Amino acid sequence: MSERVKQISVTGTAPVNIAVIKYWGKRDEELVLPINSSLSITLNQKELCAKTTVTASCHFKSDQIWLNGKEESVSNPRIQNLLRYVRSNYSKQKSSERENIETWGIHICSCNNFPTAAGLASSAAGYACLAYTLSDVFGLQDDHNISSLARRGSGSACRSILGGFVEWQMGQREDGSDSIAVQIADENHWKELRVLVLVVSIFLEFLLH
C-alpha cells in the first residue's frame, strides 16, 4: 500500500488586465457582484505578472501568507473568502479515497514583477493567480470555478484568468453563479494595439481626497 500524500504544492502565474470599460460599484459586497458588466485587455505575462506558490500540508498548523517576501496577515477578508470557498467545494466533491486536505494548513507565497499598489492592477493579477493555484491544489480546475473564485478576492481578478479581450459579465442570479469572465476576442484580434506602462516610482500610490 503506497504512502499517503502529506503535502501538495502548486506554482502559477497570472497577468495584469487593464479595464477599458470599468465596473462602477457592486450590487452585492459579500459575493462581489457588479452593477454593470466590464471589459478589459489582458497584458502579456512576459512583461507584467504575479507569481504564486500555494502549499497545503498536514504538517502546517495554520494558514500563512507572504507577499513579496514579507509575511502578511492571512485574516484579510478577501483571502478568507477564497480559502472558505475552495475548502467548502472540496468537501462537497471529495470521495472517501481522497485526502482530507480541507483540514490542512495552507502556505501562500506571492510576488509581482512590477510595483505593488502603484495603479498597475496588482490585486487583479495576484488574486487571479491565487485562485488558479488554490483551484489546482483542491482539484477544482475549470474556467468557471477559477473565474468565480478570483472574483471573490478582487472583482477585476476574474478578468485576468483569460487572455485577449475579456468581459466580466454582471450576471443576473442572486448567487452570482453567472457573474463570470468570458473571452470575447483573443490576443490576435487587434495586433497593432500597444499598451505603454511608465513606472515613475516604486512606492505605493497615495490618493488625495
Side-chain angles (χ1 to χ4, degrees):
M1 185 175 179
S2 62
E3 185 179 354
R4 296 180 71 86
V5 174
K6 296 181 180 179
Q7 180 171 301
I8 302 172
S9 186
V10 173
T11 297
T13 62
V16 165
N17 77 76
I18 302 298
V20 292
I21 299 177
K22 292 181 174 290
Y23 77 95
W24 297 98
K26 306 183 186 87
R27 69 179 191 273
D28 188 307
E29 288 284 344
E30 183 177 352
L31 294 176
V32 193
L33 303 178
I35 60 173
N36 64 283
S37 298
S38 58
L39 179 69
S40 66
I41 304 168
T42 303
L43 305 189
N44 193 316
Q45 292 197 67
K46 292 181 180 179
E47 308 300 331
L48 303 172
C49 74
K51 181 178 181 180
T52 300
T53 297
V54 168
T55 302
S57 175
C58 61
H59 299 300
F60 294 159
K61 298 184 183 300
S62 62
D63 299 331
Q64 290 180 269
I65 185 169
W66 292 263
L67 300 178
N68 295 316
K70 180 182 177 182
E71 185 170 4
E72 303 285 352
S73 173
V74 77
S75 62
N76 182 310
R78 296 195 291 177
I79 296 173
Q80 288 300 314
N81 279 347
L82 271 65
L83 294 175
R84 279 195 300 269
Y85 181 89
V86 292
R87 282 170 166 149
S88 173
N89 279 271
Y90 178 83
S91 295
K92 293 174 184 176
Q93 298 178 21
K94 78 172 184 180
S95 63
S96 58
E97 292 79 20
R98 298 181 72 181
E99 300 290 343
N100 295 320
I101 63 174
E102 76 276 16
T103 65
W104 294 1
I106 293 176
H107 287 186
I108 302 164
C109 296
S110 185
C111 63
N112 303 320
N113 67 352
F114 58 94
T116 300
L120 294 173
S122 59
S123 63
Y127 278 103
C129 199
L130 180 56
Y132 173 82
T133 49
L134 280 173
S135 296
D136 200 352
V137 166
F138 284 86
L140 305 173
Q141 288 178 295
D142 66 60
D143 287 345
H144 184 283
N145 263 324
I146 299 173
S147 176
S148 181
L149 178 59
R151 188 197 74 228
R152 284 167 164 78
S154 174
S156 57
C158 68
R159 299 191 305 248
S160 280
I161 299 300
L162 303 168
F165 292 77
V166 181
E167 178 189 6
W168 173 17
Q169 298 178 336
M170 63 174 288
Q172 302 294 330
R173 299 172 187 163
E174 290 186 6
D175 65 357
S177 58
D178 58 346
S179 182
I180 58 173
V182 295
Q183 185 187 69
I184 60 173
D186 66 21
E187 64 275 14
N188 297 312
H189 175 70
W190 190 352
K191 292 184 177 182
E192 298 80 15
L193 180 65
R194 297 292 183 270
V195 176
L196 182 63
V197 178
L198 301 177
V199 179
V200 297
S201 173
I202 63 172
F203 299 104
L204 301 182
E205 64 177 340
F206 291 93
L207 301 179
L208 297 178
H209 297 281

